[in-house]
Amino acid sequence: MAPVSLRQIRKSYHELSVIHGIDLEIADGEFIVFVGPSGCGKSTLLRMIAGLEEITGGDLTIDGVRANDQSPVERGVAMVFQSYALYPHMTVRDNMAFGLKMAKADRTLIAQRVAEAARILHLERYLDRRPSALSGGQRQRVAIGRAIVRHPKVFLFDEPLSNLDAALRVNTRLEIARLHRDLGNTMIYVTHDQVEAMTLADRIVVLNGGRVEQVGTPAELYERPANRFVASFIGSPAMSFLPAQIAALDGGRLTLALADGRPIPTHHRASEATRLGDPVTIGLRPEHLAPDGPGSAALPVEIQDIEYHGDRRFLYASAPGANGLTMAIPGGRPFQVGDRFDARFDPTALHVFDGAGVALPV
Amino acid sequence: MTDPSHPPQPTAAGGRSASPGITTTGTTTSRRANRRTVALMLTPALLLLALFLVLPFLLSIGLSVTNYNLLNRRAVTLFVGLANYASILEDERFWQAAWNTARFALVTVPVQSALALLLAVLVNSGLPGRNLFRGVYFLPTVLSMAVVSVIWAGLLRAPQGVLNALVGTLSGGVLGPYDWLGDETLAMPTIIVLSVWQGVGFQMVIYLAGLQSINAELYEAARIDGASRFQQFLHITLPSLRNTHVFVVLATTVLAFKLFGQVDVLTQGGPLDSTNTLVRYLFNSGFREHRVGFASAASVLFFLLVLGITLVQRALVREDREI
Ligand SMILES: Nc1ncnc2c1ncn2[C@@H]1O[C@H](COP(=O)(O)OP(=O)(O)OP(=O)(O)O)[C@@H](O)[C@H]1O
Ligand SMILES: [Mg+2]
């Protein structure tokens, strides 16, 4: 168990810079998730923490010790790989014991640790099998077991669930959450799936193009995204965006004008750079826009697509100046493609982003 | 078996049972058409094999029980039963050749395989100039054995060849000159060194292919587990190459038993038969002494010997199809 601290961590391959200076303080026992689109540098950052990739610049500290030049074992990290990377010619038992054998651990200690991990992960019956005789989910648990037996200070996961099918993914996600509760280790988890990030993380780090877009709890990211990128990345279905203009700045509160001139009074304040007439973007979560909701603002929409999801439906609609507005509605009133009506929303629930995509303060 | 805590996944099960073969979904007619295509495509290769491998082999079994002689055409060829086999087994020169061949194989197979693996690991390790080294090590393999032997004959010449000059200079004139090919104790070791040098590139290329098919993440997992470079080699590389080892050892053994060219060019089996080999023994009796019946019997014995060794090796080291 250990805090991890990143100060101005950079990575470049020859001339090509892929991580541009990341600062992050991870508390002891925290579950941190790196999330971001493909190629944003999540794996690279994780592999630098693991000691598999050289750190080009900055300081990595694990448990108070500068770790830049330490080996993975000296850092006390264990890692679960996306493809599991189990040793194919070893049994499940030997796979899990390998790290301790390399550390010349006592044989009874090894047996005890392997038994403990097998019990936690329900692998007792498979200890003498080769990985090739296991299902994907079982292999995944062996990979986690291999990490557990070493009692590492920090667990690292690189997209550990992406090779599992949907049902097993939910199952294993819960197991990892339980594991974190039981062991209490610091865990750093990489995924491009924002649902995994939301459900597992104490704090999420949203990465984009080798930079941190925002760090915060799942609720902070969902309710107060710092910018348009985070707003569109977190939440499923994604936030809808509407173009608007700043129509008035009365008493610090902004009034916006939609594309058709309709005024929308908001809670938001102007930043120093905001000027009357500036173009802005309104962001609305699907659950905040409804055909006949309680909101005081109205938006004329036309339904383009309908998706049935059992407990609810998603309506995809167009409005003046915007396409692909999403509404999440419970079953009930039937809708049809082509229907037109005034969708309602609460102006205090919306997000406003300035021309550069930065969220305006509330 | 499935884990009770996770219900079996229909996609996974479906994926496993649906083999990529055509037969699982094919109707009888398409299966028959399929079989015809297979037969059609196999025929040319099978014909050639039959013509140049099976037929001559059957012929030599037939000839091995006769006294057929190439020179003595007018003499009647007679059935002699197992007389050829008996006289071969009584021939001291046969046993000498068999012992020499075995000696050669016992040294070259392990040495050449291990050296090939070492070179493959070095060439694969991302050192600068690795493409150059790969080419340099492979080059002797593409040269004909006759050419290699002629070049080495020059290097090995006694007393003023290049190798003797080298040994003399390095030892300050204390050692040498040696008669590398004319000395009864040196001739076979010299042939072994030359043969390993010539053949190692082939096994190296096979090991390289094996090395490159190992999942790189296994090494990363091993690094996380704290394995040193040597432990990674021991616990990841060696076991992952299991099937490659089986192939390399079998192929090298068969090649070693076929030892002929370098011996025939460089030592003519001498001195005092110390480098004579089984293939040279049967070649000589057949094409130099023209005793075709006798040579055929020797070749049948040779075939049985190689077959037996291969079967024993296969039984000892079974290919691991699981990996
Ligand atoms: N060895 C390398 N040489 C050059 N560039 C590299 C190398 N490895 C990674 N990169 C680049 O670094 C960037 C980040 O890669 P990384 O694998 O960390 O992305 P990621 O966020 O994990 O993406 P994904 O979700 O697809 O796994 C990418 O643009 C990639 O092209
Ligand atoms: Mg990745």
Side-chain angles (χ1 to χ4, degrees):
Chain A
M1 287 188 224
V4 176
S5 127
L6 281 65
R7 280 190 213 102
Q8 278 302 304
I9 293 288
R10 286 182 293 106
K11 177 72 189 179
S12 40
Y13 294 102
H14 306 290
E15 301 298 286
L16 177 75
S17 173
V18 294
I19 303 279
H20 312 285
I22 287 187
D23 290 300
L24 183 66
E25 296 295 330
I26 301 173
D28 180 12
E30 201 172 12
F31 199 125
I32 286 280
V33 174
F34 294 166
V35 70
S38 185
C40 69
K42 311 179 289 288
S43 297
T44 306
L45 191 56
L46 190 78
R47 291 163 54 80
M48 284 197 284
I49 298 173
L52 292 174
E53 204 78 66
E54 207 177 312
I55 298 173
T56 311
D59 293 304
L60 170 70
T61 318
I62 297 177
D63 207 8
V65 180
R66 189 174 188 273
N68 287 45
D69 304 317
Q70 287 184 322
S71 74
V73 173
E74 290 166 332
R75 295 177 193 206
V77 298
M79 182 156 166
V80 176
F81 293 82
Q82 179 174 355
S83 71
Y84 318 140
L86 299 178
Y87 310 122
H89 47 273
M90 294 183 202
T91 62
V92 168
R93 186 193 311 280
D94 290 339
N95 262 282
M96 295 205 282
F98 188 69
L100 290 175
K101 277 186 191 159
M102 291 303 106
K104 303 216 161 38
D106 179 59
R107 212 184 288 167
T108 50
L109 176 77
I110 296 179
Q112 179 199 325
R113 292 271 187 91
V114 169
E116 177 196 1
R119 185 179 49 74
I120 294 176
L121 296 163
H122 312 293
L123 285 168
E124 287 109 328
R125 292 166 48 205
Y126 309 110
L127 282 175
D128 293 311
R129 287 206 201 166
R130 296 267 193 98
S132 55
L134 298 178
S135 73
Q138 290 161 350
R139 287 179 205 189
Q140 182 57 72
R141 279 181 285 146
V142 177
I144 294 173
R146 187 168 63 179
I148 290 179
V149 294
R150 294 187 26 224
H151 287 190
K153 294 179 192 164
V154 182
F155 275 103
L156 307 173
F157 297 86
D158 193 354
E159 309 215 12
L161 307 186
S162 52
N163 286 341
L164 303 180
D165 59 52
L168 205 48
R169 202 174 303 170
V170 175
N171 234 318
T172 315
R173 201 169 76 204
L174 288 169
E175 280 194 50
I176 291 176
R178 177 174 57 85
L179 203 67
H180 180 243
R181 263 199 320 274
D182 293 350
L183 302 178
N185 293 44
T186 309
M187 294 192 177
I188 307 177
Y189 186 106
V190 163
T191 180
H192 62 257
D193 176 1
Q194 52 96 20
V195 177
E196 270 171 45
M198 298 288 277
T199 51
L200 286 171
D202 290 329
R203 280 193 303 156
I204 298 175
V205 178
V206 182
L207 292 168
N208 185 27
R211 289 195 174 80
V212 174
E213 294 279 357
Q214 190 174 359
V215 183
T217 65
E220 279 167 4
L221 296 196
Y222 191 79
E223 287 157 21
R224 290 194 300 283
N227 52 50
R228 214 182 134 163
F229 179 83
V230 176
S232 63
F233 197 83
I234 300 288
S236 173
M239 187 183 279
S240 309
F241 296 104
L242 276 173
Q245 269 192 339
I246 295 180
L249 290 153
D250 0 294
R253 305 282 179 186
L254 294 175
T255 300
L256 309 178
L258 292 178
D260 61 357
R262 206 179 283 242
I264 309 282
T266 72
H267 264 188
H268 292 264
R269 272 178 241 280
S271 68
E272 278 138 51
T274 337
R275 299 280 172 273
L276 210 60
D278 275 358
V280 293
T281 307
I282 293 175
L284 273 172
R285 294 279 180 206
E287 63 273 24
H288 291 147
L289 189 63
D292 40 16
S296 62
L299 187 66
V301 298
E302 177 179 344
I303 298 182
Q304 292 171 315
D305 284 297
I306 301 174
E307 268 182 3
Y308 177 71
H309 283 258
D311 58 334
R312 55 190 178 151
R313 276 179 292 174
F314 296 140
L315 306 182
Y316 298 96
S318 64
N323 259 318
L325 295 177
T326 313
M327 284 171 258
I329 59 165
R333 208 173 113 191
F335 286 97
Q336 266 163 9
V337 172
D339 281 0
R340 290 157 185 269
F341 53 86
D342 270 3
R344 310 202 65 87
F345 62 93
D346 177 0
T348 60
L350 53 74
H351 304 265
V352 182
F353 305 98
D354 69 13
V358 178
L360 293 183
V362 179
Chain B
M1 249 192 274
T2 47
D3 185 336
S5 65
H6 297 294
Q9 298 305 317
T11 47
R16 201 158 304 159
S17 65
S19 78
I22 312 152
T23 46
T24 50
T25 50
T27 61
T28 344
T29 44
S30 77
R31 207 176 297 172
R32 200 175 299 148
N34 183 34
R35 207 176 291 165
R36 198 163 44 219
T37 316
V38 170
L40 208 66
M41 293 175 112
L42 281 178
T43 308
L46 284 178
L47 266 180
L48 288 175
L49 270 179
L51 196 63
F52 292 106
L53 225 70
V54 180
L55 192 67
F57 182 65
L58 293 178
L59 271 179
S60 59
I61 292 181
L63 287 170
S64 73
V65 291
T66 69
N67 67 351
Y68 183 59
N69 191 309
L70 268 183
L71 274 194
N72 209 351
R73 289 272 171 97
R74 255 167 277 154
V76 207
T77 300
L78 292 174
F79 176 77
V80 296
L82 296 178
N84 285 330
Y85 290 97
S87 45
I88 288 168
L89 293 178
E90 276 162 20
D91 185 358
E92 247 173 62
R93 297 193 66 189
F94 170 80
W95 290 110
Q96 175 74 42
W99 166 236
N100 289 339
T101 309
R103 229 164 23 126
F104 178 80
L106 279 174
V107 179
T108 41
V109 173
V111 168
Q112 192 167 333
S113 303
L115 189 63
L117 178 58
L118 182 75
L119 293 179
V121 168
L122 288 180
V123 165
N124 198 41
S125 68
L127 294 172
R130 64 202 202 123
N131 282 332
L132 177 74
F133 283 109
R134 202 183 319 202
V136 166
Y137 296 138
F138 192 64
L139 192 62
T141 311
V142 289
L143 295 178
S144 133
M145 198 36 135
V147 174
V148 169
S149 302
V150 169
I151 295 169
W152 275 69
L155 299 178
L156 294 168
R157 197 173 302 139
Q160 78 284 43
V162 174
L163 192 60
N164 273 324
L166 194 69
V167 169
T169 311
L170 288 182
S171 66
V174 178
L175 297 176
Y178 295 103
D179 190 358
W180 300 104
L181 296 168
D183 183 317
E184 213 184 319
T185 53
L186 281 178
M188 184 51 98
T190 306
I191 294 287
I192 287 174
V193 169
L194 178 160
S195 306
V196 168
W197 173 83
Q198 193 270 341
V200 74
F202 171 65
Q203 282 90 339
M204 178 194 76
V205 167
I206 294 172
Y207 270 127
L208 257 181
L211 286 175
Q212 278 159 8
S213 69
I214 302 176
N215 177 5
E217 272 195 350
L218 292 184
Y219 292 103
E220 296 192 335
R223 273 168 68 196
I224 296 272
D225 272 335
S228 66
R229 286 298 281 267
F230 180 69
Q231 284 169 326
Q232 289 171 35
F233 176 78
L234 211 63
H235 297 290
I236 310 288
T237 309
L238 275 186
S240 300
L241 289 174
R242 194 187 155 93
N243 290 352
T244 314
H245 296 313
V246 173
F247 176 77
V248 164
V249 168
L250 280 180
T252 315
T253 306
V254 171
L255 286 177
F257 270 86
K258 284 162 67 179
L259 174 62
F260 172 71
Q262 52 271 56
V263 166
D264 203 56
V265 172
L266 290 173
T267 65
Q268 292 81 46
L272 295 173
D273 265 356
S274 67
T275 59
N276 202 17
T277 68
L278 281 176
V279 175
R280 192 168 178 278
Y281 176 84
L282 67 91
F283 180 85
N284 268 357
S285 24
F287 298 103
R288 295 205 171 115
E289 297 161 15
H290 309 291
R291 298 154 66 197
V292 174
F294 183 86
S296 296
S299 74
V300 171
L301 281 178
F302 180 67
F303 169 79
L304 292 177
L305 178 71
V306 173
L307 181 71
I309 288 169
T310 313
L311 288 179
V312 168
Q313 276 181 342
R314 276 206 65 109
L316 288 179
V317 281
R318 195 153 277 297
E319 261 182 71
D320 198 340
R321 304 222 172 263
E322 254 188 298
I323 296 175

